[in-house]
Amino acid sequence: MKTTLVDPRTGAVRGTSPIARESEVRSTVAAARAAWPGWRGRTPRERARALERLAALVEANAAAYVAREAAGTGKPDSETAGEVEQVADLFRFYACAVRAQSAPAAGRLVDGHESWVRFEPLGVVGVVVPWNYPLMMAAWRCAPALAAGNTVVAKPAETTPDTLELLAAHAAEALGPAVLTVVSGDRRTGRLLVESGVDMVAFTGSAAAGADVAARAGGRRVSLELGGNSPALVLPDAPDDTWTQLARACTYNAGQSCAAPARVITLRENYERTVENLAAAARECLAGRDFGPLNNADQLARYDGIVERSAARRHFVADIAPRPGEEHGLWRPARILADLPDDDPAVVEEVFGPLLTVQSADGVEAAVALANGVPQALAASVWTRDLGTGLDLAARLDAGEAWINCHLVQTAELPHGGRGASGHGTDLSTLALHEYQRPKTVTARLVREG
């Protein structure tokens, strides 16, 4: 049984990929279980060196990763090349982080006793990643899990198995057999992995799918990143490049990013200026030239449905510029929606496309209420020349990550994670190591003889 793979740039079939079922999932998890004692038993330095070898293989084969990622996602090389570079950096970061992690207080904390805390790996981690960042999201999950001493079985999205399969091949070379393995397939494959004998599930995807994962995982640990609907608070004194920055962030990866700006909220006196400037900036971003297509037919239909159901009275739509031979790809232009109700589908749902809505508020308090008025709470940004105001508003926004005068600026050192309907758990930074470890307190009574 195989999945038909489609190139979203052209709409043409580009190949097939196997669909794993019970026997394949069971045998892959069993192999990861058998590999765990050897991987766990390596010292942090030995695991670090292996992860550094994997990073070097990613860099040495960057062109192959870029080509595979582009084929599966349709992203331009300018995007995929940067993401491959980030993936290599992530493995190197966690190679260092696992050797420098801190622990809670240790020592003579109880009279006559010595205590300390061990951080131990969980075992086999099942990782399920989405199609919007097939390689990078896998690295966000796999790198800290591996560094912490777990083995990993990863399941890529049905439409984008390419780069994760290559990563698993390089991991076998750098880390050893079955330390990082892949089961490709559809949603049923993912459910089989979640229900298998893994000790933890790390999932990135939709809120509905995340709820299903949590239910199937039972009492096992689950780390969920479930999407966003990020507000951008634009004050009247916003920097001159605000509009360009927001348009570029909204169209990066065709807006298919959980943390992308989605809802622009400004004050009523600044509303028309905001709409006009955003519309002008969006017209400069051309699908096919500056950003890629939507990933698959289901996402295209979902996006089109939200646009069709929107009650926005004004639509500002840019052009598209596909290259020759790509006219039948899944392209959608940059779009700005204005004059729409606060409960519009394009406002309350995660659109996941190159679209920004614009809302007005009667004051800063009302703007913050609008920003915090949706269930998702992953990321947000504030745009103002007044740093004090920006810092105050960033603190009041219900989001796991907040930016001031920028958006989508991320690095391995800084944590990323959601609240509310955006899930729970931490990606990136040294904090992510603890997602894949459990603490054990050891206390020894000091016995004196004679």
Side-chain angles (χ1 to χ4, degrees):
M1 194 160 43
K2 293 189 175 183
T3 295
T4 299
L5 300 178
V6 174
D7 188 330
R9 296 168 296 189
T10 63
V13 173
R14 62 183 183 85
T16 61
S17 178
I19 298 177
R21 284 293 180 254
E22 286 89 344
S23 61
E24 294 93 344
V25 172
R26 185 167 53 250
S27 62
T28 304
V29 172
R33 177 75 59 197
W36 181 46
W39 179 249
R40 175 190 58 187
R42 298 194 196 186
T43 65
R45 180 174 65 177
E46 290 168 338
R47 288 201 302 273
R49 287 178 174 174
L51 291 171
E52 287 168 354
R53 288 196 295 272
L54 179 55
L57 282 171
V58 171
E59 288 177 331
N61 295 275
Y65 280 101
V66 167
R68 286 181 175 230
E69 194 80 342
T73 66
K75 300 181 189 187
D77 289 353
S78 58
E79 291 184 13
T80 53
E83 291 169 16
V84 170
E85 184 179 342
Q86 289 181 55
V87 166
D89 179 66
L90 274 169
F91 282 108
R92 284 207 171 91
F93 174 81
Y94 284 107
C96 296
V98 74
R99 299 184 65 184
Q101 60 179 318
S102 59
R108 197 74 59 87
L109 305 176
V110 178
D111 186 41
H113 297 75
E114 189 80 16
S115 302
W116 60 95
V117 177
R118 293 168 49 92
F119 278 101
E120 300 176 342
L122 298 169
V124 180
V125 177
V127 169
V128 181
V129 294
W131 44 255
N132 57 331
Y133 293 101
L135 180 63
M136 195 162 68
M137 291 295 97
W140 280 24
R141 296 300 198 170
C142 295
L146 292 166
N150 304 280
T151 53
V152 173
V153 178
K155 190 270 174 188
E158 186 174 5
T159 60
T160 54
D162 312 73
T163 45
L164 190 45
E165 290 174 347
L166 182 59
L167 183 67
H170 286 142
E173 181 179 345
L175 312 181
V179 175
L180 168 59
T181 48
V182 168
V183 287
S184 297
D186 54 13
R187 290 183 181 179
R188 184 179 168 194
T189 307
R191 290 172 182 146
L192 289 169
L193 178 60
V194 171
E195 294 171 346
S196 72
V198 297
D199 300 289
M200 174 190 171
V201 178
F203 174 83
T204 304
S206 70
D212 183 69
V213 166
R216 292 174 187 273
R220 290 169 293 162
R221 185 182 297 188
V222 178
S223 178
L224 302 174
E225 202 267 68
L226 305 180
N229 192 359
S230 302
L233 268 60
V234 178
L235 300 188
D237 67 340
D240 293 338
D241 67 346
T242 295
W243 330 106
T244 301
Q245 294 287 337
L246 282 172
R248 288 176 179 171
C250 167
T251 56
Y252 183 86
N253 197 25
Q256 298 168 126
S257 174
C258 297
R263 301 176 292 129
V264 174
I265 301 167
T266 191
L267 304 188
R268 200 166 300 282
E269 64 266 26
N270 194 49
Y271 179 71
E272 284 302 325
R273 173 173 171 261
T274 298
V275 171
E276 292 172 5
N277 287 345
L278 281 174
R283 290 191 185 101
E284 298 300 314
C285 299
L286 300 184
R289 185 193 70 185
D290 302 313
F291 62 93
L294 298 187
N295 180 261
N296 56 77
D298 288 345
Q299 175 57 17
L300 189 79
R302 181 182 174 279
Y303 174 83
D304 287 347
I306 292 174
V307 173
E308 290 168 4
R309 288 186 287 119
S310 173
R313 292 195 295 272
R314 286 191 284 174
H315 289 232
F316 301 89
V317 185
D319 292 327
I320 63 173
R323 294 180 297 185
E326 296 183 349
E327 294 84 359
H328 300 294
L330 307 183
W331 305 101
R332 286 298 179 267
R335 182 184 296 264
I336 306 296
L337 299 185
D339 302 350
L340 71 176
D342 293 340
D343 62 352
D344 193 86
V347 172
V348 298
E349 298 181 31
E350 184 182 25
V351 175
F352 228 56
L355 182 154
L356 283 172
T357 61
V358 187
Q359 298 169 269
S360 64
D362 289 329
V364 172
E365 295 297 325
V368 172
L370 279 177
N372 293 339
V374 299
Q376 304 94 338
L378 182 63
S381 60
V382 181
W383 301 80
T384 175
R385 287 184 172 89
D386 186 331
L387 183 57
T389 298
L391 290 170
D392 175 65
L393 290 175
R396 294 167 62 191
L397 290 171
D398 186 19
E401 188 167 8
W403 295 283
I404 301 172
N405 297 330
C406 57
H407 205 110
L408 285 184
V409 177
Q410 295 171 317
T411 181
E413 291 86 350
L414 297 173
H416 170 83
R419 304 172 177 182
S422 290
H424 56 77
T426 301
D427 288 321
L428 302 177
S429 82
T430 57
L431 298 178
L433 283 169
H434 295 314
E435 292 285 296
Y436 307 97
Q437 297 172 315
R438 52 191 168 195
K440 176 186 286 181
T441 297
V442 180
T443 298
R445 183 168 66 93
L446 305 179
V447 179
R448 294 181 176 86
E449 297 291 345

